[in-house]
Amino acid sequence: MGVGVSTSYGRSYSDRAFATDYRMPMEFTAAANLDELLDVKAQQPDAQLLAGGTDLMVAVNLAHHRPEQIVSLGRVEELKDVGSARIGAGTTWARLEQCQYTALAQAARTVGSPQIRAAGTIGGNIGTASPAGDGLPWIAAADAEIIVESKERGERIVPWREFFTGVKRTSLASDEVITGVTIPDNLPDAQEFAKVGTRNAMVIATVSCVVMRGDDGFRVALGSVAPTPMRATRAEEMINAESTISDAVLEEFGRIVQDEVQPITDHRSTEAYRRHAAGVLARRLVKRTLQ
Amino acid sequence: MNVTITLNGEARMFDVAGPESLLSVLRNDLDLPGTKDACEQGECGSCTVNMDGEALCSCLVMAVDADGSIVLTVEGLSSEGELHAVQDAMLKHGAVQCGFCTPGIVVAGSRLLESNPHPTEIEIREALSGNICRCTGYGAILRAFEDLAAEES
Ligand SMILES: Cc1cc2nc3c(=O)[nH]c(=O)nc-3n(C[C@H](O)[C@H](O)[C@H](O)COP(=O)(O)OP(=O)(O)OC[C@H]3O[C@@H](n4cnc5c(N)ncnc54)[C@H](O)[C@@H]3O)c2cc1C
Ligand code: FES
Ligand code: FES
C-alpha cells in the first residue's frame, strides 16, 4: 500500500545496473529530539521524514524513489508516548496493540505482520494518508485531531476532516511534523474495528470500519471507501433516532451506509463490492458494540 | 555517510550514499548473503533480521538509519560451529525444502523464543505470520517450534 506502484516482483536494485542511482548523495539527519527535528525541518522544508520506513522504503525499493534529504525521527523519544490526552506520532503498531482503546488496538493487530507492526507507526500512517490506512477510521470515529508542530508557528491542532484532504493528500505544511493525535475526553468504551480483505494476514483493507457506541449514540467511520476516511453521517442520524435496534432498523442502517460511501473500483476491489461490504461491516460492528 | 552498527557481536562500519536498505548493504557490502532478498516490500519476511531486539524486515530499514543499532543476522545465530537450537529443530523436523525462507524463519522464530520460551501454537503461528514459505506448507516448521516450545528451559 501507500505508494501505489506497480511492481515487477523480485527486481533488485542490487543488480549493478541500478547501482548508479545510489551515487547521487543523499543528506541524512537523525534528529535526537523534537527540538532538533523541528530545527532541521525549518531549515530543510523539502526533507522527507522517516519513521518506521514501511511505506517510505517500499517506494525507495520499488518505485525508485530517491529522496535528496531525509530526517529520521526514530530517535525522538518524545513522540513515542501513549498518554491519556495524546498518542505520539512515533508510536508503533506493536505498542498500539496493547493500548486501552479497543478499536485502535484491534486495528493495530491487523496491520501487516509482526515485522511491520514493530516498525510502522501511527504517524507514518497519517503521513501517508492512504484511504486504506487502518489507523484512520478510529481517528474519524473518535473525532480526534492531528497535532502538528513547526519551529516557526509552534503547535497546531487540526481536526481530522481538515487534515485529510484527498487520496494521500494532507494539509501538513512543509516545515511541519505530525507530533501526535489527540484523544478526546469521554471516548465510548464500546468500540469495534473490523476490515475486509482478501485473506487474514498481511492484507490491505478493501473496506475498514470503526463503530463506537456512547451516550451520544452510534458513530460510524469507514476507510477505503472514499478519498479520505469518512463518517457515515446519514446512517448515524438514522440509527440514533431509533429507540430499539431491531433487525429491520439494522437492515435500513446498512442500506444507508452502502448509499453514503463513495468507493471506487481499483486493483483491490470493485465499487459494488465495497458498497456491499461497507454496509455489512457497519451493521456487524453495531451489533458487536451492543453485546 | 559512515554508519557503524554492532553486527553479530562485532562493530562493523560501512559507507552509504543514498537510501539503500540494510538488506542490500548486508548482502552486497558486508558479505552476509544469509539474509535473503525476495520481495523488497516487506511482504515475505525472507530478509528478517533482529535489530535492537525486534524482528524487522531489513529491506524496509534504511541502512543509514541503522547507525548505532545492534543487528543479528542468521549468520550470527550459530556459535563456534554449533547450530542454534532453532536451526537444529528445523533440521530434525525436515522444515527446510528449498531453504529460501529459512533464514528469516530462524531469525523471527529465535526472537519469539527469546521473549516467550514456551509459546502456544497460536503464538508460534502469529510470530511467523510475516514469513512466507512456498515449499513446506508450514507443518514441519510448526512442529519444529512446538518441539522447542515444549522443552524445559
Ligand atoms: C508488508 C506491508 C504491509 C502493510 N500493511 C498495512 C496494513 O495492514 N494497514 C495499514 O494501514 N498499513 C499497512 N502498511 C503500510 C504501513 O506499514 C503503514 O502505513 C505504517 O503506519 C507507516 O508507518 P511508518 O512509520 O513505517 O512510516 P514511514 O514509511 O516512515 O513514513 C510514511 C510517510 O509518512 C511521513 N511521515 C512519517 N512520520 C511522520 C511524521 N511524524 N510527521 C509527518 N510525516 C511523517 C513520511 O515522510 C512518509 O511520507 C503495510 C506496509 C507493508 C510494507
Ligand atoms: S525481502 Fe524484505 S520482506 Fe521480502
Ligand atoms: S523452504 Fe522453500 S520457501 Fe520455505
Side-chain angles (χ1 to χ4, degrees), chain B residues 15-66:
Chain B
D15 181 33
V16 282
E20 53 265 57
S21 68
L22 179 63
L23 173 64
S24 89
V25 169
L26 289 172
R27 291 179 56 84
N28 301 326
D29 302 319
L30 299 176
D31 291 326
L32 290 172
T35 306
K36 296 299 175 228
D37 177 347
C39 71
E40 294 181 4
Q41 50 183 316
E43 295 275 351
C44 75
S46 73
C47 67
T48 304
V49 299
N50 183 316
M51 187 164 150
D52 295 329
E54 302 284 356
L56 296 182
C57 295
S58 60
C59 68
L60 301 182
V61 175
M62 197 180 281
V64 59
D65 199 29

Side-chain angles (χ1 to χ4, degrees), chain A residues 1 48-58 73 79 89 93 110-113 116 119-125 127-128 132-135 172 176-179 195 202-204, chain B residues 41-43 60:
Chain A
M1 81 169 275
Q48 197 172 5
L49 294 166
L50 171 66
T54 60
D55 278 321
L56 180 54
M57 285 303 289
V58 174
L73 45 83
L79 298 182
W93 296 115
T110 73
V111 173
S113 65
I116 301 301
T121 64
I122 189 159
N125 207 237
T128 295
D134 281 329
L172 190 74
E176 283 176 331
V177 172
I178 301 163
T179 55
K195 75 187 191 189
M202 192 80 93
V203 76
I204 302 298
Chain B
Q41 50 183 316
E43 295 275 351
L60 301 182

Side-chain angles (χ1 to χ4, degrees), chain B residues 5 20 25 28 31 37 40 42 63 68 80-81 93 96 98 104 133 136:
Chain B
I5 61 176
E20 53 265 57
V25 169
N28 301 326
D31 291 326
D37 177 347
E40 294 181 4
E80 293 164 22
H93 287 271
V96 180
C98 81
C133 176
T136 66

